[in-house]
Amino acid sequence: MTTDELEQLLAQQPVAVLHRLARGRVHRHFRAGKRRLIELLLQHSSQNLAGLESDLQTLIAERQPPAQPARSPGRAAGRAPAPPSKQPLPGGGEPGIGEPAVSLAAWLEGLGVPAPQPFVPDPWQNEALRALDDSDVVVSVPTGSGKTYVAVEAARRAMEDNRTVIYTSPLKALSNTKFTEFSRIFGSDKVGILTGDRQENGQAPLLIMTTEILRNLLYDAASGEIDVRLDTLGLVILDESQYLADPERGVVWEETIIFCPSQARLLLLSASIGNPQDIADWLSSIRTTPCRLVRHSKRTVPLRAGYLHPNGKLVPLFKTAAIPHGHPTHLHPEAKRLFIEYEEETLPSGRPRR
Amino acid sequence: MPPSIHPVDLIASLRQKHLTPAIVFLTSRRACDEAMESFDHADIVLPPARQDAIAAALERVIAQYPSVAEHPLIPTVQRIGVAAHHAGHLPSWKIAIEELMRQGCLDAVFATTTLAAGVDFPARTVVITQSSIRKARDFTDLTVGEVQQIAGRAGRRGKDQVGFAVVTPSPYIDLGVLTKGLTGHPESIDSQFAISYAMVLNLLKAHPHEQIQGILAKSFAQFQLNRRAESLERKLDTLHVQMEPFGPRVCTDWITQWQTFDQVRRQRPQRHQVHRQESPELSARFHFMTPGRVVGLTRGRGIVLRQYRSKGQKNPMISVLRPDGAVTECPATTVADIFDRVFDCEETSAFPWCSAAAFDELCYQLTELPTRLPILPILVPKDSEPLSDAIVQSMGDFPCPTCPSRPACQKDFTIAHRLRQEQHRHIKSIQALRASLWHRFQERVEVLQKFGYLSPSSQLTEDGEWARLIRIDHSLLITELIRAEAFTGADPALLTGIMASIAHDDDRPGAFPRISTGLSSLLGQVRKLAESLSPYEDPPLLRADVAALAERWIADPNLTWIGLCRLTTMAEGDIYRLLARTLEFLSQIHTLRATHPGLADSASKAIALIRRGVLEELP
């Protein structure tokens, strides 16, 4: 929207709307007449055109009868193929000329269900599986990137070689979920579970347990009480291994890794952590097999951050649609303004926040 | 403006922007429950087709887990398509919600941030309402890793092209923490290696004492300690390089040499400060102004009655008897001549500084003095420097004052000394880092030897052999209880009660009206023992109400789950977790069947009795 268009649009509005729009933007706006207000708002628009536009649209939409919610900016990019809006106001879809911050519509773009695609493993998933042939592997990838696929494929390959696989997770609830999931994939006779209060199918080739149980098994084996399952043990998968840093339970992961039989491969699956290389180096230093780190920081499904004001207004949180890694201060000017407004209104003045 | 967005408005605006399904992370369980209540009269109901879909999905779950059927939230879940999911719910309920979420039936789930790791289902959108998290009774800011773990739930693979993390302000929010968390690099993780008694026993069972240091060296803790030690060593090397230009001097350890020399030198002037102000003549002459001596002042003569130093400035002073019988105090500098004439003078400590008879005698003598008196010749050492002389004399041991490298030492000392101090500090911390785990291990070994689980030669004793099978928290307390035969003759219910109170580590209040006398007296003993063990092991909370609750579940086989929940204010999920954890502790006790058959039998009975109702139904 050019300045001229904006000026026309503002001139069409009643002065009450202009005053509401000027709130928080123009100092002492209540003293200005309509012409002066438009002037001041246009001056302000040089700083933050996007915010002004989207606010204006919300206000206009509020004044319209609610029977036509199709004008809300989110709908323009929604999954339904909405007919192009014939209103004089552009949907805020095109970022203005020289506008620094992303508009809401651009931010919401791409929302929806992707077309079904055949599953193709990501390169890092293949890399991890290949590396597992001749070394231990530490995987550090963001939440929701598909670590489970690696676990399932690795377990399948090990079981094809008639080796036992142990899969551990930190929480009993997660163990139960995985038990259900793996039983569905491999068949219920192939999968067993051992937790503090549940033991099922304990001789199955794929055993799911909490890490504490595995640690106890390894201790018993070390003191001579031989467990046949450990002799054929080919692969140990430690899920959520960022629990290594848990103040109370982290030690269990260390014990498990230290006492893990040398013939078994180790696969550590972890969320993004700062020093995965350290863990890989540590494994290399204490085990006979080398250890490879598979690291991947890009999310499969891109993430965007938004800011929802208590009055229901949604704006992007950052200037760019994607999250600006390494630049926490690149906030969307509108989000910043709304948050400051929120803090001023909700917090007693002179009191420190929190 | 409201302090935060109303849940109904939140869901409405998420729906309007097509940002559902969403997970809304709230501060507390209560916030989740209140959010659910606020939907009671909300008019944002789902279309009937979707309501039916939820009902159908729920029915499938109920077929597997009947306990879900009576859940009070079901009407809201069906009508609005929102649900609460937190630790206060039974696992079956959480499984049901996760299943509904996976099928895409729900629009939003309210969850607590504390359980973010346990929320194992993705959504299109994640709503973040806070920037801090409750950890051990206190709120701390979310770390970068935690923010990313929470935000990471947004965006379902294959179902979404984009995921959204939406921040909405509430009084508990610091936007800076969240923006940093979203854009930042996750923190490094540190080892939390702790050596427990069970670990010591198990290690010593499998390995001889000498090998254990090698095993501990394989831990990630030691790896990280070594890393730190290595970086310190690198610093040490650079320090060595920095020290090189200061090396070799005449003496082998010039820094220490100079340091002590410098200290002594600094102390000297303080002791002689007074004398430094005096001219050499004055200090030479002052020795002769003894009581009874006749001195010539600027006006007339007098007899010295005493000599002293003035209070503040320590100037040399004398009290003089004047010819008119007056006693005046004058500085030694005003003395013009010292005559070669001394009278006997009986000194006293108070005015007039001599006995009355001597005073009269001196007055008389002063008037009788001849006009000319011989002046005492006093030799003043002219060219000598008393200061350096004094140093050389008092510091016969130090070669520094005459050493040729003295100027260089004096110049370099400050830098070299700082470098050396750093060096020492690094060497010490490197030693500490290399040996710290082993020291901690040895401490534990000593405690176990004291209690008799280990022999003096670090072999497992008979008690140690079975005690190593107890590999849970508070293992020392439990093994000591077994040794003290606290459970002898105790029925399964009592045993369960005690184990529950040891296992429960939550301090959320929960009331239970009655506790049986047997349990309360046993619990008293346990408390006493835990107290006496507190130097070696942190005592558990040992709450009576949870003990009574667990006891009741065992003692009364007709008690239903609903009945049990009515007995206490604890949430269903908490009761479930309490019993599940107790079960774990009991199954550890059950492993002692070889040495303590009676106890193991009691434990296995208790295990069988715990598993009923909801606990049996769940995985």
Side-chain angles (χ1 to χ4, degrees), chain A residues 69 72-75 78-79 104 107-115 119-122 124-125 143-146 171-172 174 176-178 184 195-200 215-217 219-220 222-223 225 240-248 250-251 254-255 258-259 271-275 277-279 281-282 285-286 295 299-312 314 317-318 323-329 331 335-336 339 341-343 345-346 353-354, chain B residues 1-6 9-10 13-14 16-20 95 98-99 102 117-118 120 124 127 131-132 140-141 145 148-180 182-196 198-199 202-203 205-207 215-224 227 468-469 471-472 505 576 580-581 583-584 587-588 611 615 618-619:
Chain A
S72 67
R75 185 57 184 256
R79 46 188 155 174
L104 181 66
W107 182 77
L108 282 168
E109 207 171 279
L111 186 151
V113 185
F119 177 80
V120 180
D122 289 347
W124 70 265
Q125 288 172 325
T143 318
S145 301
L171 302 170
K172 235 180 289 171
L174 289 180
N176 287 328
T177 318
K178 289 291 182 234
R184 210 158 36 209
T195 61
D197 54 357
R198 184 185 187 189
Q199 305 209 337
E200 263 176 51
R215 190 263 319 255
N216 289 350
L217 279 182
Y219 267 143
D220 289 342
S223 52
E225 291 144 46
E240 308 283 341
S241 31
Q242 73 272 16
Y243 260 73
L244 195 69
D246 187 89
E248 276 150 29
V251 58
E254 287 194 39
E255 289 171 278
I258 295 170
F259 294 111
S272 280
I273 55 170
N275 53 349
Q277 188 63 53
D278 280 1
I279 295 184
D281 288 349
W282 168 52
S285 75
I286 63 164
R295 192 178 188 176
R299 287 172 47 95
T300 325
V301 180
L303 185 67
R304 290 177 193 169
Y307 174 82
L308 181 67
H309 204 54
N311 66 11
L314 181 69
L317 182 62
F318 294 109
I323 287 178
H325 287 286
H327 301 285
T329 52
L331 288 185
K336 206 170 176 175
F339 187 71
E341 190 183 301
Y342 169 82
E343 290 209 312
E345 288 192 26
T346 50
R353 191 143 47 82
R354 285 198 300 154
Chain B
M1 186 181 295
S4 53
I5 190 163
H6 192 271
D9 295 342
L10 174 67
S13 57
L14 288 177
Q16 187 221 0
K17 299 276 195 293
H18 303 287
L19 288 176
T20 53
I95 290 171
E98 283 162 26
E99 194 51 44
R102 239 170 253 133
D120 189 29
R124 173 171 291 170
V127 180
S131 60
S132 48
T140 49
D141 277 348
Q148 293 190 352
Q149 179 111 32
I150 291 169
R153 303 280 168 214
R156 297 159 297 176
R157 204 186 164 118
K159 286 189 196 164
D160 291 313
Q161 287 180 8
V162 200
F164 295 92
V166 174
V167 177
T168 184
S170 76
Y172 313 103
I173 207 157
D174 180 349
L175 201 60
V177 172
L178 293 177
T179 52
K180 273 198 202 92
L182 284 168
T183 58
H185 190 68
E187 289 89 356
S188 299
I189 61 171
D190 282 324
S191 166
Q192 302 288 339
F193 199 74
I195 295 173
S196 64
M199 189 199 285
N202 280 299
L203 283 175
K205 167 75 183 169
H207 308 274
I215 293 170
L216 292 177
K218 286 166 87 179
S219 64
F220 187 47
Q222 193 62 58
F223 179 80
Q224 287 195 313
R227 275 281 170 94
R468 76 183 173 85
L469 297 172
R471 293 160 187 153
I472 31 182
D505 53 0
Y576 176 85
R581 221 169 121 77
L583 205 59
E584 240 172 83
S587 65
Q588 292 266 311
R611 284 185 199 275
L615 277 117
L618 281 167

Side-chain angles (χ1 to χ4, degrees), chain B residues 34-110:
Chain B
E34 282 170 1
M36 287 304 287
E37 275 169 30
S38 67
F39 285 97
D40 280 352
H41 304 288
D43 54 355
I44 52 167
V45 289
L46 289 177
R50 283 197 58 195
Q51 289 196 25
D52 294 344
I54 293 177
L58 268 174
E59 250 167 52
R60 282 196 294 276
V61 181
I62 290 169
Q64 202 179 351
Y65 307 113
S67 63
V68 176
E70 290 139 32
H71 204 281
L73 285 180
I74 283 182
T76 317
V77 172
Q78 269 194 31
R79 213 162 55 87
I80 319 277
V82 296
H85 178 288
H86 57 69
H89 293 296
L90 280 180
S92 57
W93 174 255
K94 292 197 273 184
I95 290 171
I97 297 306
E98 283 162 26
E99 194 51 44
L100 288 181
M101 225 22 205
R102 239 170 253 133
Q103 293 177 14
C105 296
L106 295 182
D107 270 358
V109 168
F110 294 97

